[in-house]
Amino acid sequence: MTDTTTETTTPAAQLERYTRFWNTGPDAERDRLAATVFTDEVEYRALVGFLRGAAALADFRDQFVSHVGPATVRRREEPEVHHGRARLQWEILTGDGTSFATGTDVIEFAEDGRISAISAFLDRAPEGFDPTAHD
């Protein structure tokens, strides 16, 4: 078990780590980030499906990168935070800097400050995306 007490668990710090998590490949740094950012049973809901646990989120990221190539998630605006929740607007850029998609994550924080749930919405889907292809 990783000691998360040495990390600052303010919502702003957690959202910064959350973005770094999506931009970190499979290594010890991503595992460390996951332990400090997410609860053990974090839930992720998006059009592409329902995922549970940080390992499932990491696998989702790795599959995405293996399909589209290098990609970076960046925040489009400062996140809004209130009453244990946050709204984070993001954009995915491909390796050449092209905008792949934009979206908004609604994030719920647990009592200890870690992220317990994410609902991801697409604001601008990638070209050719079929939302009915995913159950």
Side-chain angles (χ1 to χ4, degrees):
M1 177 180 252
T2 301
D3 177 16
T4 60
T5 59
T6 59
E7 297 283 347
T8 303
T9 55
T10 66
Q14 288 298 70
L15 293 171
E16 178 62 34
R17 286 186 203 92
Y18 175 72
T19 303
R20 279 194 351 243
F21 171 84
W22 288 114
N23 291 325
T24 303
D27 62 14
E29 170 66 8
R30 184 170 70 190
D31 294 342
R32 188 192 69 74
L33 281 168
T36 61
V37 172
F38 302 115
T39 60
D40 293 341
E41 295 296 317
V42 62
E43 296 180 349
Y44 180 87
R45 289 174 171 82
L47 284 173
V48 296
F50 173 78
L51 305 172
R52 180 169 299 188
L57 273 67
D59 186 56
F60 174 64
R61 184 253 181 221
D62 294 344
Q63 287 180 36
F64 178 83
V65 170
S66 73
H67 180 69
V68 303
T72 302
V73 174
R74 72 169 188 92
R75 298 188 306 192
R76 293 186 287 151
E77 296 184 19
E78 265 314 297
E80 296 175 87
V81 179
H82 66 80
H83 296 95
R85 292 188 175 49
R87 180 173 74 161
L88 186 144
Q89 296 176 308
W90 49 262
E91 178 178 32
I92 298 173
L93 302 172
T94 59
D96 66 359
T98 301
S99 180
F100 180 80
T102 62
T104 300
D105 287 356
V106 177
I107 296 168
E108 184 175 338
F109 297 97
E111 290 285 322
D112 67 1
R114 292 184 298 159
I115 295 172
S116 61
I118 302 121
S119 295
F121 296 87
L122 284 173
D123 298 335
R124 181 181 46 79
E127 188 174 318
F129 179 76
D130 179 4
T132 64
H134 306 281
D135 291 331

